Amino acid sequence: MVKQLNMEKYAQLILKTGVHLQPKQGLIINAPIEAATFVRLVVEKAYDLGAKNVHIEWSDDELTYLKMLHAPMEVLEAFPKWKADGLLEMVQEGYSLLTIYGPDPDLLKEIDADRITAVNKASARALTTYRDYVMNDRVTWSVVGYPTENWAKKVFPNLLAEDAQEKLWEQIFKITRVNQDDPLQAWQQHNQLLKKARSYLNKKQYHQLIYKAEGTDLIIELPKGHIWHGGSGLSEQGTPFNANIPTEEVFTMPHKYGVHGTVRSTKPLSYGGNIIDQFSLTFKDGEVVNFTAEQGEEALKHLLETDQGGAKRLGEVALVPHQSPISQSGLIFYNTLFDENASCHLALGKAYPNTIANGSTMSEEEMDQHGVNNSLIHEDFMIGSASMDIDGITSDGKTEPIFRQGNWAINFDNVN
Ligand code: ZN
Ligand code: ZN
């Protein structure tokens, strides 16, 4: 059975290359109830690797929908303290965090945007310290895909549910390199390449990036001391891990006050159960001052108004070649984990503190002075295309090509 074998290879990859689970370590798994069979396989392998405990946080799209539909607003506005405390306790004990992820992109289509915002806000507030552990890599963590039925049907609308799921499994195995003989080895090579790209950009320390494409004319200033990441990272304890499987990006933070011009999205954004599509954002001094969307404009408005301004500024700038395997699949996944790795993207909201020197120890005031954005949200959206050109402006004002027609203009084999 090829599929069974691939599922086992996938589970190994997730645990060894993804969260890089260590003996005697605990593991939290967030997973949809639909993935139970696969989750059991992962848990078995986790114990084989010496896990001390595996804690599962099950979710169920249908129950989420019912609660979003019926629960009174005061319930949606309150995130249970016992739950936040419990999760925090586990990461404080050094638990790794694995999120197995495959939400129905249309789940909350009919739910009032105010109710969705309330839930997102409440969980963001209650889980601030917990998420700080994750965003600062104080523990290893990884987000991976699982082809739930409704997600698969969204990606392959003309297939029957079962066939759509099979097809999405195939795509996931291909994109994550699981269908190769030795996925762990393939990921080592892939991580090596991303490391070359990020080292090159870290040495360059570009002052600005200039984006040109259809509907896009954008200047992004990069703060002094910005750090590009990509591929495997190191946790606080020095354990290498891959936070996303798949991942094709190198990324850093923009200066929160240094973004000017207009950028157009090139893929739909699935946000809180809504699709926002064909949208355009115009920035002045780093802030969104104008926006339009052909679909989901109301959801986009709510997204931008999540907090007092941080949601209107950028927290991430990521480069992904247009010839990445996900992009080559030609599919729209309606799932950020996959779509963000198909294309150059930006994120509205919070910046990863580790994308600037000393970012993890800065006070809020210092963060602001250095141009580090803070927000309740971090929402990626895709802007890359085969027509995208990106230039870097050096600190002494020289212009250098970084991307031409959607792909790297730099041959990393020739740089050291
Ligand atoms: Zn990204
Ligand atoms: Zn992001």
Side-chain angles (χ1 to χ4, degrees), residues 179-253:
N179 67 352
Q180 298 185 22
D181 285 344
D182 186 348
L184 299 186
Q185 164 76 22
W187 270 83
Q188 235 169 32
Q189 275 175 13
H190 179 52
N191 278 327
Q192 209 50 41
L193 193 85
L194 291 168
K195 192 178 170 187
K196 278 188 183 172
R198 70 173 195 237
S199 308
Y200 177 88
L201 293 166
N202 280 333
K203 254 186 235 160
K204 284 284 178 187
Q205 282 293 307
Y206 286 115
H207 169 57
Q208 283 179 333
L209 302 179
I210 315 275
Y211 288 73
K212 293 243 157 65
E214 215 187 306
T216 292
D217 193 349
L218 188 72
I219 300 173
I220 295 180
E221 184 185 331
L222 302 177
K224 277 208 178 72
H226 67 269
I227 299 169
W228 290 88
H229 288 267
S232 68
L234 284 181
S235 74
E236 204 176 60
Q237 293 80 26
T239 310
F241 71 103
N242 272 92
N244 286 180
I245 290 182
T247 185
E248 303 288 334
E249 61 174 340
V250 292
F251 63 97
T252 188
M253 69 167 68

Side-chain angles (χ1 to χ4, degrees), residues 1 30 49 53 56-57 63 76 79 106 126 162 165 195 220 264 272 289 314 322 331-332 376 413-414:
M1 287 292 287
N30 295 313
L49 289 169
N53 180 35
I56 318 284
E57 284 288 321
L63 297 186
L76 302 182
F79 189 94
D106 290 324
E162 213 178 302
Q165 258 178 308
K195 192 178 170 187
I220 295 180
R264 187 147 107 196
V289 289
L314 296 181
H322 190 66
L331 294 165
I332 291 172
L376 290 173
D413 290 334
N414 299 334

